[in-house]
Amino acid sequence: QCPELLESHDVFLLGEASPAPVDVTALATSSSAPMSAVEAEAEGRAAAKNLLLLFGDTVAVTLMGCEVVLKPLTQEAGKGECRVFCGAPAISFVLATPVSASTSTTSPDTSDFAILVVSLEGGGLSVLIASREGAKLLYKAVVPNTKRLFVSAAAVVAETSHALVLAHRVVRDAEKLSRSHVEVLCVDLDLGDLLESGWPEGKSHTEVQPCLVARGSHVPLSACWYGQDVAMLAAVGSFEAVREDSAEPMESEDAMLTVIRLGQTGGGAAAQSWLLPHGDLLASWQEDVMEAGTKNSRLAVAISDNSGGAVLCAANLDASSEPQLSCEECLPGLAACAFARSALKLIAFSPARTFFALVQASGQNAVAIFRSPGGSMRAPTATLNLSDVTLDGEVEVYSAVLSESAILVRTARCLIRQTLSHDAKVEGVKRPLISREEMPMGMDPKALLRMLDMQ
């Protein structure tokens, strides 16, 4: 433990969530059927990612009931939180990546506004535009025959004013819950002139049909768009495009990458999967990197190794090839620490991977923060004691997100921002070599160490 890793903290109170409409509340509570394992997995992963930082980490975004809440992380006067009512309980949301229609790279982004895609109870999708001053609802749609929809990734093509959404839903088996499966959906939303017309309020379409449905056995951990017609997701097991003649996907517990291509020549949309290196898929997230002056998005994964550590890999993709996986960093002990936590909600990484955190729902060590060792054998770690910060006793952690300078934690009543130190160090302790008199049979300890080094 290195308490010097933790610096100052701030607490930002959240207001009460607005009540859901009566008809939506009845819809959400009408089913008393037990939840399948894959449904519980989908709900848990969505809840753990219910937090996002925007505009240089100055604004936090989270979901509360039927609202999207934008909370300024500043004490400036007049900077109150902004709430956008979506009309139904909000389930999940993602930040849409700007992509180019002509290349597989992302377009130059802007710090002036951000596009958010939110999934709602009943299969709804809402597109919001957010700025430092607030947010506005742009577009509403619904995916038919869907009760609960979870968004994994989204992209906005500025040249065509289309929003591409990668989402998933759980299809229950009425006879046997263990046979429930996951369907990944690609949805194309035509925003028309909304991005160029001063952001008018609420264009609404009643129904949108997925342009691809792919079936698998597990919930995707994360996904990323690599252009306007190519996306990649990481999950346990593969996904196969659903067609009239398609068979059930082969169940697998291996970590895999699935590439989805839309508009394939002569064959329509397609999904193809590749095995990741052997090990447990601990985490996956979308990260932005600068390459030749251009910001590109890619998928990153953390996979356990045989020594209790984890290997961090990045998946790159162009328009014609299979995923190119580069193993960029090893984190000793990460997998062992993760497996020791029975109620682990999330493994979070900062954008440049300077820090990572293991997040549980509750407990004294609910939020454990580590600074990346960077090749060293030891690195600073600290535990955020939420009870001391909030003075509320036992605190339930809803979600958390890391920046390069702080960790932000969401609880029921507030957001807690804990700044982190880049200068904290773990002082090594030099252990004296025992004497020959203390060694069995009077052996020379230096000679024994040299012999062991030669083995």
Side-chain angles (χ1 to χ4, degrees):
Q1 287 286 322
C2 181
E4 293 80 11
L5 184 61
L6 305 181
E7 295 183 334
S8 61
H9 66 263
D10 299 289
V11 178
F12 303 91
L13 296 178
L14 296 170
E16 296 292 332
S18 298
V22 175
D23 55 341
V24 174
T25 304
L27 173 65
T29 59
S30 60
S31 176
S32 58
M35 188 178 292
S36 66
V38 70
E39 286 175 307
E41 182 186 7
E43 299 289 345
R45 293 197 185 281
K49 294 184 177 182
N50 180 15
L51 192 58
L52 185 68
L53 288 168
L54 296 177
F55 310 124
D57 306 332
T58 61
V59 176
V61 186
T62 190
L63 305 178
M64 295 185 67
C66 300
E67 296 173 319
V68 180
V69 179
L70 283 77
K71 185 73 174 181
L73 302 180
T74 175
Q75 305 296 343
E76 294 182 23
K79 290 285 186 179
E81 68 181 30
C82 170
R83 294 185 173 228
V84 178
F85 185 74
C86 295
I91 299 172
S92 63
F93 74 108
V94 293
L95 174 66
T97 302
V99 299
S100 172
S102 57
T103 67
S104 61
T105 60
T106 57
S107 302
D109 70 328
T110 173
S111 58
D112 296 331
F113 65 91
I115 303 293
L116 302 172
V117 178
V118 185
S119 68
L120 308 174
E121 184 81 35
L125 285 172
S126 290
V127 179
L128 281 71
I129 191 161
S131 67
R132 296 175 187 270
E133 285 69 41
K136 185 177 292 186
L137 182 63
L138 281 184
Y139 184 99
K140 295 170 65 177
V142 63
V143 178
N145 305 317
T146 304
K147 290 185 177 180
R148 302 211 28 110
L149 190 67
F150 306 88
V151 287
S152 301
V156 173
V157 187
E159 296 95 325
T160 61
S161 294
H162 279 240
L164 303 169
V165 182
L166 202 65
H168 58 273
R169 63 190 178 194
V170 177
V171 179
R172 293 171 60 94
D173 189 301
E175 297 181 358
K176 191 174 183 180
L177 284 180
S178 61
R179 290 203 299 259
S180 299
H181 62 271
V182 178
E183 288 184 344
V184 168
L185 315 174
C186 288
V187 181
D188 186 353
L189 304 178
D190 183 3
L191 303 182
D193 60 352
L194 292 177
L195 297 179
E196 305 294 337
S197 57
W199 308 340
E201 193 84 35
K203 178 181 179 181
S204 179
H205 283 254
T206 57
E207 198 171 282
V208 289
Q209 294 292 340
C211 49
L212 177 135
V213 178
R215 183 183 296 136
S217 56
H218 289 276
V219 175
L221 269 70
S222 185
C224 177
W225 284 93
Y226 285 75
Q228 69 167 348
D229 56 3
V230 182
M232 186 190 300
L233 59 89
V236 175
S238 63
F239 285 85
E240 297 182 12
V242 176
R243 299 185 177 90
E244 291 183 1
D245 58 347
S246 61
E248 291 290 327
M250 183 175 60
E251 291 192 13
S252 171
E253 296 302 315
D254 294 317
M256 304 186 81
L257 292 176
T258 297
V259 175
I260 293 174
R261 299 184 188 275
L262 306 178
Q264 293 287 290
T265 303
Q272 190 174 3
S273 299
W274 285 266
L275 281 169
L276 284 166
H278 180 70
D280 291 300
L281 185 57
L282 301 173
S284 178
W285 65 100
Q286 178 180 311
E287 64 180 10
D288 296 327
V289 293
M290 295 297 297
E291 297 175 350
T294 303
K295 188 176 81 169
N296 295 329
S297 295
R298 65 183 186 181
L299 205 60
V301 294
I303 305 168
S304 66
D305 60 23
N306 294 328
S307 63
V311 180
L312 304 188
C313 305
N316 296 294
L317 186 69
D318 60 33
S320 59
S321 68
E322 66 184 47
Q324 303 297 317
L325 200 67
S326 57
C327 297
E328 301 180 336
E329 189 177 357
C330 294
L331 296 179
L334 172 56
C337 292
F339 295 151
R341 289 162 166 80
S342 59
L344 186 67
K345 289 174 65 80
L346 177 69
I347 302 178
F349 288 83
S350 64
R353 305 181 190 171
T354 305
F355 301 99
F356 61 95
L358 304 181
V359 181
Q360 298 185 106
S362 60
Q364 186 175 358
N365 300 317
V367 181
I369 306 158
F370 304 78
R371 199 175 72 204
S372 177
S376 302
M377 293 301 296
R378 306 177 70 190
T381 177
T383 299
L384 180 57
N385 195 327
L386 299 175
S387 299
D388 290 347
V389 173
T390 62
L391 302 178
D392 284 340
E394 184 86 4
V395 178
E396 181 182 358
V397 176
Y398 283 19
S399 54
V401 63
L402 272 166
S403 70
E404 287 301 309
S405 60
I407 185 169
L408 186 69
V409 178
R410 159 84 197 275
T411 70
R413 297 176 53 192
C414 64
L415 299 173
I416 302 167
R417 181 177 61 187
Q418 174 69 59
T419 56
L420 306 175
S421 171
H422 287 252
D423 301 321
K425 295 181 180 179
V426 178
E427 299 295 337
V429 179
K430 189 174 182 179
R431 299 179 182 274
L433 194 65
I434 64 174
S435 64
R436 178 175 289 195
E437 289 75 18
E438 297 174 285
M439 290 288 292
M441 302 174 63
M443 289 187 293
D444 183 355
K446 293 183 179 179
L448 176 62
L449 290 176
R450 285 196 298 270
M451 181 187 71
L452 293 174
D453 287 339
M454 295 172 63
Q455 298 298 317

